[in-house]
Amino acid sequence: MLNKNDQPDVNATSSETNIHTDFKNNMTYGEYLQLDKILSAQRRLSGHHDEVLFIVIHQVSELWMKLILHEMHSAIESITNDDLSSAFKKLARVSKTQSQIIQAWDVLSTMTPSEYMEFRDSLGQASGFQSYQYRMIEFALGYKTPHVLKIYEKDPELLVELKKAYEAPGLYDVAIRALHKAGLAIDEEVLNRDVTRTYQENETIRQAWTTVYRNPKQYWDLYELAEKLVDIEDWLQQWRFRHMKTVERIIGFKMGTGGSSGVGYLKKVLDQRFFPELWDIRTIL
């Protein structure tokens, strides 16, 4: 805290006699967080001032996505083990993290088209479209597209991890199994479906969730699980929308650096649904 002369308030710190100042033989805050690696990773390929902003925003977003995946995978395991209360905490954290990653677009949108054009060519074909963590989030949500795996053939070890995520049951798969365990009628073809294929909506799932929502006291845990899933899809779509509008604001309808149609592609993915029955029942009820 600063005093009236904008000088450090030495009285505030001098009274704290237990503050550690000797770190010759102890781990520091910076060492624990490996800040030397993190803060030296913003290497510009151009000399433009705003490239630092561009790099930091994307690096921060990837760190948030790492946390989202950490919590999602743990929530999937908890639901599989019938520990729904533990899953709720993790899924709530996912939603809060999503709110942070959405706000990153507000910071990036302070960059103007003229400023971005000064260094865009330096990116080559690198694009957020290639974010492997974003693909793993899609996989965890049940959206499986095998053709995207080709992007990662350059890194065999990463490709192995992606294939593992691609072949694993998603969040909705384990939620559907929770419906089945609760005694709700679910088609066997859904319970035994090939999880490497994108989920397709099913009438028995729609009826099961309708039963849950019409009897929340009887199925309280499933009711709460459903709302946690709706939160996550809602926030993801908001992230996608802010992404699309930020891209439109900065580059208009130019093709993306990764070869996509840019804004056109981003508008199309807004129509994707991960938990379709949970949205359908809003009309049914």
Coordinates of all heavy atoms in Angstrom, one line a residue, residues 42-87:
Q42 N 7.2 -15.8 -24.3 CA 6.5 -14.9 -25.2 C 7.5 -14.4 -26.2 O 7.9 -13.2 -26.1 CB 5.9 -13.8 -24.4 CG 4.8 -14.2 -23.4 CD 5.3 -14.9 -22.2 OE1 6.2 -14.5 -21.6 NE2 4.6 -16.0 -21.8
R43 N 7.8 -15.2 -27.2 CA 8.9 -14.9 -28.1 C 8.2 -14.4 -29.4 O 7.6 -15.2 -30.2 CB 9.8 -16.1 -28.4 CG 10.5 -16.5 -27.2 CD 11.4 -17.7 -27.4 NE 12.1 -18.2 -26.2 CZ 12.9 -19.3 -26.2 NH1 13.1 -20.0 -27.3 NH2 13.4 -19.6 -25.0
R44 N 8.4 -13.1 -29.7 CA 7.8 -12.5 -30.9 C 8.5 -12.9 -32.1 O 9.8 -13.0 -32.1 CB 7.8 -11.0 -30.8 CG 6.8 -10.4 -29.8 CD 6.8 -8.9 -29.8 NE 8.1 -8.4 -29.2 CZ 8.4 -7.1 -29.1 NH1 7.6 -6.2 -29.6 NH2 9.5 -6.7 -28.5
L45 N 7.8 -13.2 -33.2 CA 8.4 -13.4 -34.5 C 8.5 -12.2 -35.3 O 9.1 -12.2 -36.4 CB 7.6 -14.5 -35.2 CG 7.5 -15.9 -34.5 CD1 6.7 -16.9 -35.3 CD2 8.9 -16.4 -34.3
S46 N 7.8 -11.1 -34.9 CA 7.9 -9.8 -35.5 C 8.4 -8.8 -34.4 O 8.5 -9.2 -33.3 CB 6.6 -9.4 -36.1 OG 5.7 -9.0 -35.0
G47 N 8.6 -7.6 -34.8 CA 9.0 -6.6 -33.8 C 7.8 -5.8 -33.4 O 8.0 -4.8 -32.7
H48 N 6.6 -6.3 -33.7 CA 5.4 -5.4 -33.4 C 5.0 -5.5 -31.9 O 5.0 -6.6 -31.3 CB 4.2 -5.9 -34.3 CG 3.2 -4.8 -34.3 ND1 2.2 -4.7 -33.4 CD2 2.9 -3.8 -35.2 CE1 1.4 -3.7 -33.7 NE2 1.8 -3.1 -34.8
H49 N 4.7 -4.4 -31.4 CA 4.3 -4.3 -30.0 C 3.1 -5.2 -29.6 O 3.2 -5.9 -28.6 CB 3.9 -2.8 -29.7 CG 3.3 -2.6 -28.3 ND1 4.1 -2.4 -27.2 CD2 2.0 -2.6 -27.9 CE1 3.3 -2.3 -26.1 NE2 2.0 -2.4 -26.5
D50 N 2.1 -5.3 -30.4 CA 0.9 -6.1 -30.1 C 1.0 -7.6 -30.2 O 0.1 -8.3 -29.8 CB -0.3 -5.6 -30.9 CG -0.9 -4.3 -30.4 OD1 -0.2 -3.7 -29.5 OD2 -1.9 -3.9 -30.9
E51 N 2.1 -8.1 -30.7 CA 2.3 -9.5 -30.8 C 2.4 -10.1 -29.4 O 2.0 -11.3 -29.2 CB 3.5 -9.9 -31.7 CG 3.5 -11.4 -32.0 CD 4.7 -11.8 -32.8 OE1 5.5 -10.9 -33.3 OE2 4.9 -13.0 -33.0
V52 N 2.9 -9.4 -28.5 CA 3.0 -9.9 -27.1 C 1.6 -10.1 -26.5 O 1.3 -11.1 -25.9 CB 3.8 -8.9 -26.2 CG1 3.7 -9.3 -24.7 CG2 5.2 -8.8 -26.6
L53 N 0.7 -9.2 -26.8 CA -0.7 -9.4 -26.4 C -1.3 -10.6 -27.0 O -1.9 -11.4 -26.3 CB -1.5 -8.2 -26.9 CG -3.1 -8.3 -26.9 CD1 -3.6 -8.5 -25.5 CD2 -3.7 -7.2 -27.6
F54 N -1.1 -10.8 -28.3 CA -1.6 -12.0 -29.0 C -1.1 -13.3 -28.4 O -1.9 -14.2 -28.2 CB -1.2 -11.8 -30.5 CG -1.9 -12.8 -31.4 CD1 -3.2 -12.6 -31.9 CD2 -1.2 -14.0 -31.8 CE1 -3.8 -13.5 -32.7 CE2 -1.8 -14.9 -32.6 CZ -3.1 -14.7 -33.1
I55 N 0.2 -13.3 -28.1 CA 0.8 -14.5 -27.6 C 0.3 -14.8 -26.2 O -0.1 -15.9 -25.8 CB 2.3 -14.4 -27.6 CG1 2.9 -14.4 -29.0 CG2 2.9 -15.6 -26.8 CD1 4.4 -14.1 -29.1
V56 N 0.3 -13.8 -25.3 CA -0.1 -14.0 -23.9 C -1.6 -14.4 -23.8 O -1.9 -15.4 -23.1 CB 0.1 -12.7 -23.1 CG1 -0.7 -12.7 -21.8 CG2 1.5 -12.4 -22.9
I57 N -2.5 -13.8 -24.6 CA -3.9 -14.2 -24.6 C -4.0 -15.7 -24.9 O -4.8 -16.5 -24.2 CB -4.7 -13.4 -25.6 CG1 -4.9 -12.0 -25.0 CG2 -6.1 -14.0 -25.8 CD1 -5.6 -11.8 -23.7
H58 N -3.4 -16.2 -25.9 CA -3.5 -17.6 -26.3 C -2.8 -18.5 -25.3 O -3.3 -19.6 -25.1 CB -2.9 -17.8 -27.8 CG -3.8 -17.2 -28.8 ND1 -3.8 -15.9 -29.2 CD2 -4.8 -17.8 -29.6 CE1 -4.7 -15.6 -30.1 NE2 -5.3 -16.8 -30.4
Q59 N -1.7 -18.1 -24.8 CA -1.1 -18.9 -23.8 C -1.9 -19.0 -22.5 O -2.1 -20.1 -21.9 CB 0.3 -18.4 -23.4 CG 1.4 -18.6 -24.5 CD 2.7 -18.0 -24.2 OE1 2.8 -17.1 -23.3 NE2 3.7 -18.5 -24.8
V60 N -2.5 -17.9 -22.1 CA -3.4 -17.9 -20.9 C -4.6 -18.8 -21.2 O -5.0 -19.6 -20.3 CB -3.8 -16.5 -20.5 CG1 -4.9 -16.5 -19.5 CG2 -2.6 -15.7 -20.0
S61 N -5.1 -18.7 -22.4 CA -6.3 -19.6 -22.7 C -5.9 -21.0 -22.7 O -6.7 -21.9 -22.2 CB -6.8 -19.2 -24.1 OG -7.3 -17.9 -24.1
E62 N -4.7 -21.4 -23.1 CA -4.3 -22.8 -23.1 C -4.1 -23.3 -21.6 O -4.4 -24.4 -21.3 CB -3.0 -23.0 -23.9 CG -3.2 -22.8 -25.4 CD -4.0 -24.0 -26.0 OE1 -4.1 -25.1 -25.4 OE2 -4.5 -23.8 -27.1
L63 N -3.7 -22.4 -20.8 CA -3.5 -22.8 -19.4 C -4.9 -23.0 -18.7 O -5.1 -24.0 -18.0 CB -2.8 -21.7 -18.6 CG -1.3 -21.6 -18.8 CD1 -0.7 -20.4 -18.1 CD2 -0.6 -22.9 -18.2
W64 N -5.9 -22.2 -19.0 CA -7.2 -22.4 -18.5 C -7.8 -23.7 -19.1 O -8.5 -24.4 -18.4 CB -8.1 -21.2 -18.9 CG -8.0 -20.0 -18.1 CD1 -7.8 -18.7 -18.5 CD2 -8.0 -19.9 -16.6 NE1 -7.8 -17.8 -17.5 CE2 -7.9 -18.5 -16.3 CE3 -8.2 -20.8 -15.6 CZ2 -7.9 -18.1 -15.0 CZ3 -8.2 -20.4 -14.3 CH2 -8.0 -19.0 -14.0
M65 N -7.5 -24.0 -20.4 CA -8.0 -25.2 -21.0 C -7.4 -26.4 -20.3 O -8.0 -27.5 -20.1 CB -7.8 -25.2 -22.5 CG -8.7 -24.4 -23.3 SD -8.7 -24.7 -25.1 CE -7.4 -23.5 -25.5
K66 N -6.1 -26.3 -19.9 CA -5.5 -27.4 -19.1 C -6.3 -27.7 -17.9 O -6.5 -28.8 -17.5 CB -4.0 -27.0 -18.8 CG -3.3 -28.2 -18.1 CD -1.8 -27.9 -18.0 CE -1.1 -29.1 -17.4 NZ 0.4 -28.9 -17.3
L67 N -6.7 -26.6 -17.2 CA -7.4 -26.8 -15.9 C -8.8 -27.4 -16.2 O -9.3 -28.3 -15.5 CB -7.6 -25.5 -15.2 CG -8.4 -25.5 -13.9 CD1 -7.8 -26.5 -12.9 CD2 -8.5 -24.1 -13.3
I68 N -9.4 -26.9 -17.3 CA -10.8 -27.5 -17.7 C -10.7 -29.0 -17.9 O -11.5 -29.8 -17.4 CB -11.3 -26.7 -18.9 CG1 -11.7 -25.3 -18.6 CG2 -12.4 -27.5 -19.6 CD1 -12.1 -24.4 -19.8
L69 N -9.7 -29.4 -18.6 CA -9.5 -30.8 -18.9 C -9.2 -31.6 -17.6 O -9.7 -32.7 -17.4 CB -8.3 -31.0 -19.9 CG -8.7 -30.7 -21.4 CD1 -7.4 -30.6 -22.2 CD2 -9.6 -31.7 -22.0
H70 N -8.4 -31.0 -16.8 CA -8.0 -31.7 -15.5 C -9.3 -31.9 -14.7 O -9.5 -33.0 -14.2 CB -7.1 -30.8 -14.7 CG -6.7 -31.2 -13.4 ND1 -6.0 -32.3 -13.1 CD2 -7.1 -30.7 -12.1 CE1 -5.8 -32.5 -11.8 NE2 -6.5 -31.6 -11.2
E71 N -10.2 -31.0 -14.6 CA -11.4 -31.1 -13.9 C -12.4 -32.0 -14.6 O -13.1 -32.8 -13.9 CB -12.0 -29.7 -13.6 CG -11.2 -28.8 -12.8 CD -10.9 -29.3 -11.4 OE1 -11.6 -30.1 -10.9 OE2 -9.9 -28.8 -10.8
M72 N -12.5 -31.9 -15.9 CA -13.5 -32.7 -16.6 C -13.1 -34.2 -16.5 O -14.0 -35.0 -16.3 CB -13.5 -32.3 -18.1 CG -14.5 -31.2 -18.5 SD -14.6 -31.1 -20.3 CE -15.7 -29.7 -20.4
H73 N -11.9 -34.5 -16.7 CA -11.5 -35.9 -16.7 C -11.7 -36.5 -15.3 O -12.2 -37.6 -15.1 CB -10.0 -36.1 -17.1 CG -9.8 -35.8 -18.5 ND1 -8.5 -35.4 -19.0 CD2 -10.6 -35.9 -19.6 CE1 -8.6 -35.3 -20.3 NE2 -9.8 -35.5 -20.7
S74 N -11.5 -35.7 -14.3 CA -11.7 -36.1 -12.9 C -13.2 -36.3 -12.6 O -13.6 -37.2 -12.0 CB -11.1 -35.2 -11.9 OG -11.2 -35.6 -10.6
A75 N -14.0 -35.4 -13.2 CA -15.5 -35.5 -13.0 C -16.0 -36.7 -13.7 O -16.9 -37.4 -13.2 CB -16.1 -34.2 -13.6
I76 N -15.5 -37.0 -14.9 CA -15.9 -38.3 -15.6 C -15.6 -39.5 -14.7 O -16.5 -40.4 -14.6 CB -15.2 -38.4 -17.0 CG1 -15.8 -37.3 -17.9 CG2 -15.3 -39.8 -17.5 CD1 -15.0 -37.2 -19.2
E77 N -14.5 -39.5 -14.1 CA -14.1 -40.6 -13.2 C -15.0 -40.7 -12.0 O -15.5 -41.8 -11.6 CB -12.7 -40.5 -12.8 CG -12.2 -41.6 -11.9 CD -10.7 -41.5 -11.5 OE1 -10.0 -40.5 -12.0 OE2 -10.2 -42.3 -10.7
S78 N -15.4 -39.5 -11.4 CA -16.2 -39.5 -10.3 C -17.6 -40.0 -10.6 O -18.2 -40.7 -9.8 CB -16.3 -38.0 -9.7 OG -15.1 -37.6 -9.2
I79 N -18.2 -39.6 -11.7 CA -19.5 -40.0 -12.2 C -19.5 -41.5 -12.4 O -20.4 -42.2 -12.0 CB -20.0 -39.2 -13.4 CG1 -20.1 -37.7 -13.1 CG2 -21.3 -39.8 -13.9 CD1 -20.3 -36.9 -14.3
T80 N -18.5 -42.0 -13.0 CA -18.3 -43.4 -13.3 C -18.4 -44.2 -12.0 O -18.9 -45.3 -11.9 CB -17.0 -43.7 -14.0 OG1 -17.0 -43.0 -15.3 CG2 -16.9 -45.2 -14.3
N81 N -17.8 -43.6 -10.9 CA -17.7 -44.3 -9.6 C -18.9 -43.9 -8.7 O -18.8 -44.2 -7.5 CB -16.4 -43.9 -8.9 CG -15.2 -44.4 -9.6 OD1 -15.2 -45.5 -10.3 ND2 -14.1 -43.7 -9.6
D82 N -19.9 -43.4 -9.3 CA -21.2 -43.0 -8.6 C -20.9 -41.9 -7.5 O -21.7 -41.8 -6.5 CB -21.8 -44.2 -7.9 CG -22.2 -45.3 -9.0 OD1 -22.6 -44.9 -10.1 OD2 -22.0 -46.5 -8.7
D83 N -19.9 -41.2 -7.6 CA -19.6 -40.1 -6.7 C -20.0 -38.8 -7.3 O -19.2 -37.9 -7.7 CB -18.1 -40.1 -6.3 CG -17.7 -39.1 -5.3 OD1 -18.6 -38.5 -4.7 OD2 -16.5 -38.9 -5.0
L84 N -21.3 -38.6 -7.4 CA -21.8 -37.4 -8.1 C -21.5 -36.1 -7.4 O -21.3 -35.1 -8.0 CB -23.3 -37.5 -8.3 CG -23.8 -38.7 -9.3 CD1 -25.3 -38.6 -9.5 CD2 -23.0 -38.6 -10.6
S85 N -21.6 -36.1 -6.0 CA -21.3 -34.9 -5.3 C -19.9 -34.3 -5.6 O -19.7 -33.1 -5.7 CB -21.5 -35.1 -3.8 OG -20.6 -36.1 -3.3
S86 N -19.0 -35.2 -5.7 CA -17.6 -34.8 -6.0 C -17.5 -34.2 -7.4 O -16.8 -33.2 -7.7 CB -16.6 -36.0 -5.9 OG -15.3 -35.6 -6.3
A87 N -18.3 -34.9 -8.3 CA -18.3 -34.4 -9.7 C -18.9 -33.0 -9.8 O -18.4 -32.2 -10.6 CB -19.1 -35.4 -10.6

